[in-house]
């Protein structure tokens, strides 16, 4: 009986692993950006994703992003110029 259960489990795992996988839909479509905004996106992705998931830039208004970035720049140890580039990207909705 144990061998039948084990065989069924192995077959189930094999079938599951061979099934086609679908990629999740992107949460935010990547649009054509100017070089400055593209740099801001790269900085946002590289600095912010170190500690937490990235939020959609449209989740917050420009006024809401300002204190968030001020608080996070201390934790991420980034300078004012980098923060300004990230702010330009996240508010360019």
């Amino acid at each position: 009986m144990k061998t039948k259960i084990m065989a069924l489990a192995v077959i189930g795992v094999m079938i599951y692993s061979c099934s086609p996988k679908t990629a999740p839909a992107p949460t935010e479509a990547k649009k054509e950006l100017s070089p400055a905004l593209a740099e801001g996106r790269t900085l946002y992705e590289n600095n912010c994703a170190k500690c937490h998931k990235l939020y959609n830039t449209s989740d917050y208004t420009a006024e809401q992003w300002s204190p968030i970035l001020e608080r996070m720049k201390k934790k991420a140890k980034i300078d004012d110029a980098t923060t300004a580039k990230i702010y330009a990207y996240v508010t360019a909705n």
Side-chain angles (χ1 to χ4, degrees):
M1 183 69 175
K2 288 182 183 179
T3 55
K4 288 182 182 179
I5 293 173
M6 195 63 145
L8 284 174
V10 169
I11 291 171
V13 168
M14 289 175 55
I15 290 172
Y16 176 76
S17 65
C18 292
S19 65
K21 309 294 186 271
T22 59
T27 56
E28 185 174 313
K30 296 208 177 192
K31 49 192 168 191
E32 289 296 319
L33 299 174
S34 68
L37 291 179
E39 182 182 4
R41 178 180 64 199
T42 302
L43 291 168
Y44 174 64
E45 291 171 348
N46 291 338
N47 287 292
C48 302
K50 289 178 186 175
C51 299
H52 57 81
K53 72 176 184 102
L54 295 177
Y55 296 100
N56 287 330
T57 57
S58 60
D59 286 350
Y60 300 100
T61 64
E63 293 79 26
Q64 292 170 321
W65 274 114
S66 185
I68 292 169
L69 291 176
E70 279 301 313
R71 186 176 64 247
M72 291 294 125
K73 86 174 188 177
K74 295 173 189 168
K75 292 180 181 185
K77 298 179 178 135
I78 56 177
D79 59 14
D80 290 335
T82 302
T83 304
K85 291 174 185 176
I86 293 171
Y87 181 79
Y89 166 69
V90 298
T91 58
N93 298 345

